[in-house]
């Protein structure tokens, strides 16, 4: 158990819809990261938050947004969903310091029908 | 920019045989290096990391990796594999900056046969 909790585990929805993925980091971790894992793109970094503020952005589409709340949990919002958004979305957290390892949740599997 | 290349997409090996999973990286800045393992329907679990110091690092489950700066490689090894090591393995680099993003390779599926 990594200590990182992601909900829901599975999400099935239709094109054009909007969904919210939730992540609770390990106790005490200030950084939260979101990654997308798909068959064609592999594991891609989306975005990082540190103590409520955006720290780094990766290959995140404009239709996607994220935030980190004062209690340090984070949400990833995906809107105007397309078939190609079907993927496994991981959240990870780490302690302060760029040399600290990231601990991953079990992911949310998003299926777009 | 940084990139990671895992040279083998699949590595079949018999139980109790040694294995090496190869990883090369490219970066214009210093990096931290990681190996993660992903079992079916699970998240990624950290196997080991190289931050600095000794170039041979030991991780969990009997795995070790050697950092070779001149060859920009970070190969993962295990002297004797078990059926339970069957999983996907990811090499990742993290630029030594304030941003903590991980850049992953495409993954190597290790298939341990009885």
């Amino acid at each position: 158990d990594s200590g990182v909790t992601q909900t829901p585990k599975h999400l099935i929805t239709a094109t054009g819809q909007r969904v919210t993925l939730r992540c609770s980091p390990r106790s005490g971790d200030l950084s939260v990261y979101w990654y997308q894992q798909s068959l064609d793109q592999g594991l891609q970094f989306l975005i990082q938050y540190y103590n409520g503020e955006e720290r780094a952005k990766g290959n995140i589409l404009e239709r996607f947004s994220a935030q980190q709340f004062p209690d340090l949990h984070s949400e990833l919002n995906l809107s105007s969903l397309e078939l190609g958004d079907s993927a496994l979305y991981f959240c990870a957290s780490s302690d302060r310091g760029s040399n600290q390892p990231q601990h991953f949740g079990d992911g949310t599997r998003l299926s777009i029908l | 920019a940084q990139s990671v290349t895992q040279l083998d997409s699949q590595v079949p090996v018999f139980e109790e045989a040694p294995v090496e999973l190869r990883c090369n990286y490219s970066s214009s800045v210093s990096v931290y290096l990681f190996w993660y393992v992903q079992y079916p329907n699970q998240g990624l679990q950290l196997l080991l990391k190289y931050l600095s110091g000794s170039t041979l690092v030991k991780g969990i489950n009997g795995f070790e990796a050697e950092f070779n700066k001149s060859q920009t490689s970070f190969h993962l090894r295990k002297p004797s594999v078990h059926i339970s090591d069957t999983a996907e393995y990811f090499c990742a680099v993290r630029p030594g900056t304030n941003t903590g993003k991980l850049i992953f390779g495409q993954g190597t599926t290790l298939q341990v046969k009885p």
Side-chain angles (χ1 to χ4, degrees):
Chain A
D1 182 11
S2 68
V4 178
T5 303
Q6 289 187 249
T7 57
K9 291 190 182 303
H10 302 279
L11 202 47
I12 301 174
T13 189
T15 55
Q17 296 299 305
R18 172 189 171 93
V19 297
T20 297
L21 313 184
R22 182 188 170 99
C23 170
S24 294
R26 289 191 322 159
S27 177
D29 283 356
L30 299 178
S31 279
V32 169
Y33 310 81
W34 287 97
Y35 293 87
Q36 180 194 60
Q37 184 179 34
S38 61
L39 285 176
D40 53 347
Q41 297 290 327
L43 265 163
Q44 299 265 316
F45 168 74
L46 295 178
I47 197 164
Q48 176 198 357
Y49 278 82
Y50 178 81
N51 202 20
E53 294 190 2
E54 182 183 304
R55 178 60 65 91
K57 240 178 180 178
N59 300 322
I60 188 167
L61 300 172
E62 285 190 10
R63 301 183 285 108
F64 296 0
S65 65
Q67 54 184 328
Q68 186 179 26
F69 295 87
D71 67 352
L72 300 179
H73 91 272
S74 177
E75 292 181 357
L76 179 67
N77 300 296
L78 316 177
S79 62
S80 302
L81 287 168
E82 302 175 359
L83 293 176
D85 298 327
S86 295
L88 195 50
Y89 292 84
F90 285 111
C91 169
S93 72
S94 72
D95 199 352
R96 65 170 58 197
S98 62
N99 62 349
Q100 296 301 311
Q102 294 176 23
H103 300 270
F104 283 75
D106 286 343
T108 292
R109 184 169 295 281
L110 176 63
S111 300
I112 312 299
L113 303 180
Chain B
Q2 295 78 30
S3 66
V4 179
T5 302
Q6 290 184 241
L7 298 163
D8 306 292
S9 59
Q10 292 189 342
V11 173
V13 63
F14 287 105
E15 194 174 17
E16 297 184 7
V19 70
E20 178 180 81
L21 306 184
R22 298 179 294 166
C23 172
N24 286 102
Y25 70 92
S26 172
S27 177
S28 57
V29 300
S30 61
V31 296
Y32 302 122
L33 296 154
F34 303 84
W35 275 98
Y36 282 85
V37 60
Q38 185 179 25
Y39 299 103
N41 300 314
Q42 293 186 27
L44 281 77
Q45 180 182 1
L46 180 68
L47 275 178
L48 48 77
K49 61 184 185 287
Y50 173 79
L51 305 179
S52 64
S54 173
T55 57
L56 183 64
V57 293
K58 294 188 183 297
I60 63 171
N61 301 338
F63 284 93
E64 63 181 33
E66 186 156 17
F67 170 58
N68 188 318
K69 188 174 182 179
S70 62
Q71 296 187 4
T72 59
S73 68
F74 190 53
H75 299 334
L76 181 70
R77 302 185 183 102
K78 186 169 182 177
S80 175
V81 294
H82 304 289
I83 295 288
S84 59
D85 293 322
T86 295
E88 188 149 20
Y89 292 79
F90 292 93
C91 179
V93 301
R94 190 169 183 179
T97 65
N98 283 333
T99 62
K101 69 177 182 180
L102 287 172
I103 299 163
F104 286 91
Q106 288 296 313
T108 296
T109 301
L110 176 63
Q111 300 164 323
V112 182
K113 304 176 182 180

